[in-house]
Amino acid sequence: MLLFPLVGAVCGDAAYYRYLLAKAVPSLDESDRIKAAVTEFNNRFMDIYASQGDKRGIGAVPATVGMRHSLVTDSGSLWVGGKVLVYDIASLDFRSVQQDGPLSATVLVKEEWNYQYKDGKTYKEVGQVHGTGSLMRYRMVRQGGAWLVQKCEPVRETAKGVNKGD
């Protein structure tokens, strides 16, 4: 009976045991790793847009294949129009990290960004620098031992908190 957890860990069930034990052993909590994945995703997000959708380095983005495809497609469509959208993150304020299960988590982040359009060939400014801020919900999945962004969506804050219907 004592070997059961060890056998489970060797067979690939370590995430399940870690999730269950994290309730009793705070050092096993995955919140810091999840936050690091969201932060890295946003840093890579800036690079993808600034590179005009160049696919080099896309494998390093901590996101699912579908999310990476979406990033390249969106940034590449701007380049086809002759523009580059340069994003600069001003702040990431983590509001909550909730591990929904051993392989999934939901993260709420208040984000502030600056952005500017530039000419795709000369990289000269096409427009002014603008700022934007929003509350974002990240749906995370754990694959191959790493936390990946599966979905990213804006959410509305209401007087009662975050709108669950978004």
Side-chain angles (χ1 to χ4, degrees):
M1 191 68 158
L2 292 174
L3 291 176
F4 184 69
L6 182 61
V7 172
V10 171
C11 294
D13 291 336
Y16 293 93
Y17 290 111
R18 185 178 186 103
Y19 174 72
L20 293 173
L21 289 173
K23 307 286 185 208
V25 183
S27 64
L28 294 176
D29 182 64
E30 293 280 309
S31 295
D32 288 341
R33 291 183 69 206
I34 294 166
K35 287 179 185 179
V38 171
T39 301
E40 181 66 13
F41 173 83
N42 280 293
N43 288 334
R44 299 290 181 164
F45 176 88
M46 291 185 292
D47 294 342
I48 295 296
Y49 271 83
S51 72
Q52 303 171 337
D54 189 337
K55 293 179 189 169
R56 284 180 295 170
I58 192 69
V61 178
T64 61
V65 172
M67 179 56 92
R68 287 187 294 215
H69 177 75
S70 176
L71 286 176
V72 171
T73 302
D74 290 350
S75 60
S77 66
L78 284 170
W79 179 76
V80 170
K83 295 180 184 173
V84 176
L85 181 56
V86 178
Y87 274 113
D88 288 311
I89 192 147
S91 69
L92 283 177
D93 178 19
F94 287 90
R95 297 287 176 90
S96 68
V97 176
Q98 165 115 25
Q99 194 169 346
D100 306 317
L103 303 175
S104 63
T106 303
V107 182
L108 288 176
V109 183
K110 178 70 175 173
E111 299 180 1
E112 300 288 334
W113 290 85
N114 295 318
Y115 66 95
Q116 181 178 38
Y117 289 97
K118 294 192 175 188
D119 183 274
K121 292 182 181 179
T122 65
Y123 222 64
K124 290 185 179 180
E125 298 172 359
V126 175
Q128 296 179 342
V129 175
H130 298 280
T132 185
S134 59
L135 184 64
M136 301 296 288
R137 179 185 296 130
Y138 290 85
R139 305 286 186 179
M140 308 293 290
V141 295
R142 187 177 175 129
Q143 293 178 358
W147 285 100
L148 306 176
V149 174
Q150 181 178 34
K151 186 177 183 180
C152 176
E153 58 195 354
V155 293
R156 282 181 254 148
E157 289 182 279
T158 65
K160 295 180 182 179
V162 174
N163 189 343
K164 304 272 186 203
D166 284 342

